[in-house]
Amino acid sequence: MTFKSVLSTMLAAWILIWPGALSAKEAAKSNSNSVLRVPSADKPLRIVVLGDSLADGLHYGLTQLNKNRDDIKTVKKARVNTGLVRRDRYDWNKGTRKIMRKGRYDVAVVLLGLNDLQSIREKGKAHHFQTDGWVERYQARLEEMIGDLKKAGVAVYWASIPITTRYSDEYQYLNRFYAAAAKKMGIGYVDTWSALADANGKYTAFFTMADGKKKEIRRRDGVHFTPKGYVAFASLVNDRLMADLEKLASPTQ
């Protein structure tokens, strides 16, 4: 058995036994964004997108999807090559608080994790990926970021890392953290991994677009998207947001 196969087996086992693990469906059922409001032309819904390079593309997609609406505005605050681990590159906990102080937003869409398969270094000590020290610190940083967004009074939607061709076990492991934190802290969680997989749950570069045609939407790196792909990717988040807004505008009696 190769080292890679051994690592994959260990990762799969860890995901199953990790006490915070839960399915995306379980997370979605318990999420709430009570501060979400119905937008209008005179008071548009301001959406801020936070995260890494995928969040950068997600912002592009959301902007394209809502470009003909005067009641929704999107703002990009993404930073490529950043995450919750490497605070020497960018500290998302401090950054989130600063962004919330300087801008007035109604919704925060977050996507992080691509760059978080590294050791967390604090006080001269390295806490390696998946060790107890790493888990404790990563979870604390994640929940702190969500908590600061909620304190700012915005509705929060955390998008999972989409299915990839590399580090797939590790990224699924991180998605478990995001789903669990969303459930615990009452925010929206959007499972993009399952939505972009094929019928067998495997990676595919193709996606059935709104017009019913199947098109290639992924870059050759197996992680990022083409411009049209980012629109398709963003539609997963946008559809969830629009569904929540529709419920808010037409509450059931």
Side-chain angles (χ1 to χ4, degrees), residues 11 14-15 18-23 27 84 112-113 116-117 120 128-143 146 158-161 169-185 187 189:
L11 282 170
W14 177 256
I15 290 172
W18 178 52
L22 73 163
S23 70
L84 291 172
L112 285 166
D116 285 344
L117 310 181
I120 294 177
H128 300 303
F129 181 59
Q130 294 183 302
T131 62
D132 290 344
W134 187 96
V135 169
E136 178 183 352
R137 285 159 180 79
Y138 194 80
Q139 187 171 347
R141 293 180 185 188
L142 171 60
E143 293 182 5
I146 294 173
W158 198 288
S160 78
I161 301 169
D169 290 329
E170 291 90 334
Y171 287 149
Q172 283 180 296
Y173 172 79
L174 289 181
N175 282 340
R176 290 278 178 165
F177 277 88
Y178 310 141
K183 175 181 171 63
K184 178 179 179 180
M185 306 191 73
I187 65 167
Y189 178 74

Side-chain angles (χ1 to χ4, degrees), residues 85-190:
V85 168
R86 292 289 300 275
R87 284 180 165 173
D88 57 317
R89 290 181 179 173
Y90 183 73
D91 188 333
W92 269 107
N93 294 115
K94 289 182 179 179
T96 296
R97 291 189 290 270
K98 184 177 181 180
I99 291 167
M100 290 298 106
R101 284 196 305 269
K102 290 196 169 186
R104 298 181 63 181
Y105 307 107
D106 302 292
V107 177
V109 174
V110 190
L111 200 172
L112 285 166
L114 284 188
N115 307 295
D116 285 344
L117 310 181
Q118 305 178 60
S119 300
I120 294 177
R121 299 182 182 278
E122 285 187 351
K123 299 178 180 179
K125 183 177 181 180
H127 302 276
H128 300 303
F129 181 59
Q130 294 183 302
T131 62
D132 290 344
W134 187 96
V135 169
E136 178 183 352
R137 285 159 180 79
Y138 194 80
Q139 187 171 347
R141 293 180 185 188
L142 171 60
E143 293 182 5
E144 180 183 340
M145 184 175 180
I146 294 173
D148 286 333
L149 288 169
K150 293 189 69 175
K151 287 176 185 177
V154 299
V156 185
Y157 291 85
W158 198 288
S160 78
I161 301 169
I163 191 168
T164 62
T165 57
R166 56 179 180 173
Y167 304 120
S168 58
D169 290 329
E170 291 90 334
Y171 287 149
Q172 283 180 296
Y173 172 79
L174 289 181
N175 282 340
R176 290 278 178 165
F177 277 88
Y178 310 141
K183 175 181 171 63
K184 178 179 179 180
M185 306 191 73
I187 65 167
Y189 178 74
V190 183

Side-chain angles (χ1 to χ4, degrees), residues 28-245:
K29 286 181 181 179
S30 63
N31 293 338
S32 65
N33 269 312
S34 58
V35 295
L36 190 65
R37 65 171 179 82
V38 177
S40 62
D42 60 334
K43 195 176 180 182
L45 200 71
R46 285 176 53 83
I47 304 172
V48 61
V49 183
L50 313 174
D52 52 30
S53 57
L54 280 176
D56 190 296
L58 179 58
H59 168 266
Y60 168 80
L62 287 171
T63 301
Q64 291 300 306
L65 288 167
N66 296 295
K67 64 183 179 181
N68 295 322
R69 298 187 60 150
D70 58 5
D71 60 345
I72 292 180
K73 306 295 182 184
T74 56
V75 178
K76 182 176 67 175
K77 293 294 182 180
R79 288 174 173 260
V80 300
N81 297 321
T82 65
L84 291 172
V85 168
R86 292 289 300 275
R87 284 180 165 173
D88 57 317
R89 290 181 179 173
Y90 183 73
D91 188 333
W92 269 107
N93 294 115
K94 289 182 179 179
T96 296
R97 291 189 290 270
K98 184 177 181 180
I99 291 167
M100 290 298 106
R101 284 196 305 269
K102 290 196 169 186
R104 298 181 63 181
Y105 307 107
D106 302 292
V107 177
V109 174
V110 190
L111 200 172
L112 285 166
L114 284 188
N115 307 295
D116 285 344
L117 310 181
Q118 305 178 60
S119 300
I120 294 177
R121 299 182 182 278
E122 285 187 351
K123 299 178 180 179
K125 183 177 181 180
H127 302 276
H128 300 303
F129 181 59
Q130 294 183 302
T131 62
D132 290 344
W134 187 96
V135 169
E136 178 183 352
R137 285 159 180 79
Y138 194 80
Q139 187 171 347
R141 293 180 185 188
L142 171 60
E143 293 182 5
E144 180 183 340
M145 184 175 180
I146 294 173
D148 286 333
L149 288 169
K150 293 189 69 175
K151 287 176 185 177
V154 299
V156 185
Y157 291 85
W158 198 288
S160 78
I161 301 169
I163 191 168
T164 62
T165 57
R166 56 179 180 173
Y167 304 120
S168 58
D169 290 329
E170 291 90 334
Y171 287 149
Q172 283 180 296
Y173 172 79
L174 289 181
N175 282 340
R176 290 278 178 165
F177 277 88
Y178 310 141
K183 175 181 171 63
K184 178 179 179 180
M185 306 191 73
I187 65 167
Y189 178 74
V190 183
D191 174 20
T192 68
W193 187 283
S194 300
L196 294 170
D198 66 13
N200 297 314
K202 302 297 184 181
Y203 176 88
T204 175
F206 294 86
F207 185 77
T208 302
M209 308 297 280
D211 59 5
K213 295 180 180 179
K214 186 172 287 190
K215 295 183 180 179
E216 188 172 5
I217 64 168
R218 305 300 291 266
R219 294 289 189 188
R220 297 198 180 280
D221 66 1
V223 175
H224 296 89
F225 295 79
T226 65
K228 288 184 178 179
Y230 275 119
V231 176
F233 180 47
S235 71
L236 303 174
V237 176
N238 199 65
D239 288 351
R240 169 66 184 277
L241 176 59
M242 293 303 114
D244 287 351
L245 288 174

